[in-house]
């Protein structure tokens, strides 16, 4: 797959290593002056050295997409100075991994690529990315988070060899960086290891210098400019860390799952009901400042890696869907029930892709439904093929529902508004439920449902 990694520091390089060895194509972006402390194991070094080798990977600095393609074709990793990651518009990656590690989101959106991963604090799965990778050392390091965020930054580094804060080397004043110790040097507590802004910086512990900023970099007081490792293993200075590999493993896990689903699953939205119980055009009713149907259309933007159709008789809904790249299947007979809409969508999607393994069917009258829940349903279906996956809360079941392809023929024979429920009842043992909260499950059938 084509992958864009934002950032090329040591942790981003650990991620790139996992992806590179899994056979993916990688472009990495960086700022003009990288402040990577563990620069001997970071491809960001290519920014000021033109090339950087980390273990068996080579990163090469490029200035255009044409140069990047040549680097990729040679089996290497392209590094580009591109703080805003504008190269994504020409590269058009399958996946974007934000590994800047800024402890906040600097502008990544869930719609930037078919699949977007946020690394560390500052991201929320289902809102600005499809998933988040935990970066805090400990029991959950490298975990893939499908709803919510990573553990917030505490400002205290992880414990290595019995040391935390003491490991860090910080600038003593604003000014230019002058290293007095090199990466790989053994230093003693109290030894001068750098000068910043003309003021000395002293080691807070004994150990090996595992990271140190390059000389002549402008720094600010308190900025991390290096780190010391009590384990005193010189090899650690030249190899990717356990932490970086664990985080990279989480990224690889998430991408592998997406790769298995891409092109094999589709999403169909049913929006052609007669709204009899509502007493009017229900989907045009305003919810949180926009028409009800817009909530679902906008959530679909997080899943551009999947084929999508919406079944509707509304010209307005069809127009808005087309503007978002969602194809419309017209239904001028809403009185035939939801099964008719379902069959229209199923026929279109199967015609376009006979090899579909599953289709997720959703509706437009559940404005509380979260993108994260849609993602979890797709994940569950990918792990449990030939099952029926639906959402539920407190014993109550509802939409969306993901149907494996072994049920397609039965769905084509369903009738009215209860066809799907009858099939579920018949295959109860193959039903899997993704738990959600009551608000997500609630659909709007009557005007008083807004209360």
């Amino acid at each position: 797959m084509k992958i864009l990694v934002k950032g090329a520091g040591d942790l981003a390089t650990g991620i790139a290593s996992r992806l590179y060895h899994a056979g993916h194509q990688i472009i990495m972006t960086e700022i003009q002056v990288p402040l990577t402390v563990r620069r001997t194991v970071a491809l960001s070094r290519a920014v000021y050295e033109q090339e950087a080798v980390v273990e068996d990977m080579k990163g090469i600095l490029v200035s255009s997409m044409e140069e990047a393609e040549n680097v990729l074709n040679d089996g290497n990793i392209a590094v580009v100075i591109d703080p805003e990651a504008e190269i994504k518009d020409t590269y058009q990656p399958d996946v974007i991994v934000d590994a800047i590690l800024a402890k906040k989101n600097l502008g990544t959106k869930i719609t930037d690529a078919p699949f977007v991963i946020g690394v560390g604090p500052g991201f929320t799965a289902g809102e600005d990315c499809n998933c988040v990778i935990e970066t805090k050392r400990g029991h959950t390091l490298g975990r893939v988070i499908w709803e919510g965020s990573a553990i917030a930054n505490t400002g205290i580094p992880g414990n290595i060899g019995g040391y935390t804060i003491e490991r860090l080397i910080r600038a003593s004043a604003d000014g230019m960086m002058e290293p007095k110790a090199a990466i790989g040097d053994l230093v003693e507590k109290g030894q001068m290891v750098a000068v910043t802004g003309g003021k000395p910086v002293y080691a807070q512990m004994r150990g090996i210098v595992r990271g140190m900023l390059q000389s002549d970099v402008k720094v600010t007081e308190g900025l991390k400019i290096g780190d010391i490792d009590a384990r005193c293993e010189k090899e650690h200075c030249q190899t990717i860390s356990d932490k970086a590999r664990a985080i990279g493993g989480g990224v690889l896990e998430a991408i592998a799952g997406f790769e298995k689903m891409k092109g094999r699953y589709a999403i169909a939205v049913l929006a052609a009901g007669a709204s009899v119980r509502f007493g009017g055009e229900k989907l045009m009713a305003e919810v949180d400042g926009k028409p009800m149907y817009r909530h679902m259309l906008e959530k679909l933007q997080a899943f551009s890696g999947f084929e999508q159709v919406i079944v509707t008789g509304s010209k307005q809904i069809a127009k808005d869907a087309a503007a978002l790249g969602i194809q419309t299947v017209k239904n001028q007979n809403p009185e035939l029930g939801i099964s008719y809409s379902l069959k229209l969508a199923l026929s279109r999607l199967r015609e376009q892709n006979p090899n579909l393994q599953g289709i997720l069917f959703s509706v437009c009258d559940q404005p509380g439904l979260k993108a994260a829940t849609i993602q979890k349903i797709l994940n569950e279906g990918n792990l449990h093929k030939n099952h029926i996956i639906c959402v539920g809360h407190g014993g109550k079941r509802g939409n969306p529902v993901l149907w494996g392809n072994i049920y397609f023929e039965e769905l084509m024979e369903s009738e009215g508004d209860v066809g799907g429920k009858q099939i579920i009842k018949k295959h109860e043992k193959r039903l899997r439920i993704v738990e959600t909260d009551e608000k997500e499950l609630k659909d709007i059938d009557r005007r008083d449902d807004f209360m």
Side-chain angles (χ1 to χ4, degrees):
M1 302 188 82
K2 294 164 62 179
I3 300 174
L4 180 67
V5 180
K6 297 171 73 171
D10 58 306
L11 294 183
T13 299
I15 292 168
S17 175
R18 292 291 200 191
L19 303 179
Y20 176 78
H21 290 101
H24 299 296
Q25 289 190 344
I26 305 163
I27 294 179
M28 306 181 80
T29 65
E30 256 300 349
I31 58 177
Q32 290 278 355
V33 183
L35 297 175
T36 306
V37 168
R38 294 205 64 217
R39 53 196 170 89
T40 52
V41 290
L43 293 177
S44 60
R45 201 171 72 252
V47 170
Y48 50 88
E49 293 183 6
Q50 305 306 309
E51 292 186 3
V53 175
V54 177
E55 297 185 357
D56 60 348
M57 297 185 301
K58 180 186 285 188
I60 300 175
L61 185 66
V62 301
S63 59
S64 68
M65 190 62 230
E66 182 179 3
E67 290 181 10
E69 286 175 348
N70 290 334
V71 168
L72 298 178
N73 289 336
D74 283 342
N76 295 311
I77 294 173
V79 180
V80 58
I81 299 171
D82 184 6
E84 304 301 322
E86 293 177 355
I87 199 169
K88 72 178 185 298
D89 297 331
T90 48
Y91 185 42
Q92 295 188 328
D94 298 298
V95 180
I96 287 179
V97 182
D98 189 325
I100 295 174
L101 279 300
K103 310 298 190 295
K104 60 182 178 180
N105 187 341
L106 298 180
T108 294
K109 300 186 293 295
I110 198 169
T111 54
D112 285 345
F115 195 68
V116 178
I117 300 174
V119 180
F123 302 96
T124 303
E127 294 183 13
D128 50 18
C129 59
N130 294 91
C131 67
V132 177
I133 308 300
E134 182 57 70
T135 56
K136 184 175 176 59
R137 285 187 183 274
H139 188 69
T140 58
L141 176 64
R143 181 168 66 97
V144 183
I145 300 166
W146 294 104
E147 183 172 11
S149 305
I151 298 170
N153 180 40
T154 62
I156 301 174
N159 189 313
I160 296 180
Y163 295 90
T164 57
I165 295 174
E166 304 94 332
R167 295 194 295 109
L168 303 187
I169 304 171
R170 294 191 181 277
S172 55
D174 295 356
M176 301 306 290
M177 170 71 180
E178 301 176 53
K180 297 300 180 182
I183 294 174
D185 286 355
L186 184 65
V187 297
E188 300 294 332
K189 182 177 180 180
Q191 180 179 333
M192 185 173 67
V193 291
V195 174
T196 58
K199 291 187 176 182
V201 179
Y202 300 102
Q204 301 300 306
M205 58 175 283
R206 181 183 187 277
I208 199 167
V209 177
R210 194 174 63 147
M212 181 71 74
L213 280 183
Q214 67 270 30
S215 60
D216 299 324
V217 176
K218 192 173 183 179
V219 299
T220 56
E221 183 179 354
L223 179 73
K224 180 183 174 182
I225 60 171
D227 75 68
I228 298 172
D229 190 341
R231 296 170 295 185
C232 297
E233 295 283 349
K234 198 161 187 175
E235 182 187 2
H236 292 181
C237 301
Q238 305 297 330
T239 53
I240 294 167
S241 70
D242 53 347
K243 179 178 180 178
R245 292 189 197 280
I247 294 169
V251 171
L252 180 59
E253 175 190 324
I255 290 175
F258 171 67
E259 187 177 19
K260 289 289 185 183
M261 288 187 280
K262 189 174 183 287
R264 296 178 176 89
Y265 289 84
I267 300 174
V269 179
L270 310 181
S275 304
V276 175
R277 287 177 289 178
F278 191 81
E281 292 188 65
K282 174 175 66 174
L283 298 183
M284 299 298 170
E286 191 170 289
V287 178
D288 294 333
K290 53 191 168 188
M292 192 186 306
Y293 72 86
R294 286 287 309 186
H295 290 269
M296 189 60 199
L297 291 187
E298 291 173 7
K299 289 181 182 74
L300 287 185
Q301 299 309 290
F303 304 98
S304 60
F306 301 87
E307 293 179 70
Q308 303 172 1
V309 300
I310 185 166
V311 181
T312 185
S314 165
K315 291 182 179 179
Q316 183 61 52
I317 294 177
K319 180 181 178 182
D320 283 5
L324 295 173
I326 304 165
Q327 62 174 307
T328 297
V329 178
K330 291 184 179 180
N331 181 354
Q332 304 295 350
N333 305 104
E335 72 280 358
L336 296 178
I338 198 169
S339 290
Y340 183 62
S341 288
L342 185 151
K343 288 187 282 188
L344 288 174
L346 183 54
S347 295
R348 172 69 65 84
L349 289 169
R350 292 177 78 186
E351 179 183 339
Q352 293 176 174
N353 185 353
N355 298 316
L356 282 175
Q357 291 182 357
I359 300 174
L360 183 145
F361 289 92
S362 190
V363 292
C364 273
D365 60 358
Q366 284 179 245
L369 181 67
K370 298 176 183 177
T373 300
I374 296 173
Q375 183 70 62
K376 287 190 286 186
I377 295 169
L378 290 166
N379 292 348
E380 189 77 5
N382 190 42
L383 293 173
H384 302 279
K385 297 174 178 63
N386 298 327
H387 281 68
I388 304 167
I389 318 294
C390 75
V391 294
H393 175 77
K396 181 182 178 182
R397 303 168 187 166
N399 291 304
V401 180
L402 174 63
W403 298 86
N405 57 12
I406 65 170
Y407 306 103
F408 287 176
E409 295 305 326
E410 289 183 77
L411 289 171
M412 288 301 296
E413 296 173 1
S414 63
E415 299 291 340
D417 284 327
V418 294
K421 292 180 181 178
Q422 292 173 342
I423 299 171
I424 289 176
K425 187 175 181 180
K426 179 181 175 183
H427 301 283
E428 192 84 25
K429 291 183 179 179
R430 300 193 71 79
L431 175 68
R432 300 184 69 88
I433 298 174
V434 172
E435 283 293 328
T436 185
D437 61 36
E438 193 172 7
K439 182 180 179 182
E440 284 195 80
L441 204 59
K442 183 178 181 180
D443 57 0
I444 308 297
D445 284 332
R446 301 175 176 81
R447 293 188 184 275
D448 58 11
D449 288 333
F450 285 105
M451 303 299 290

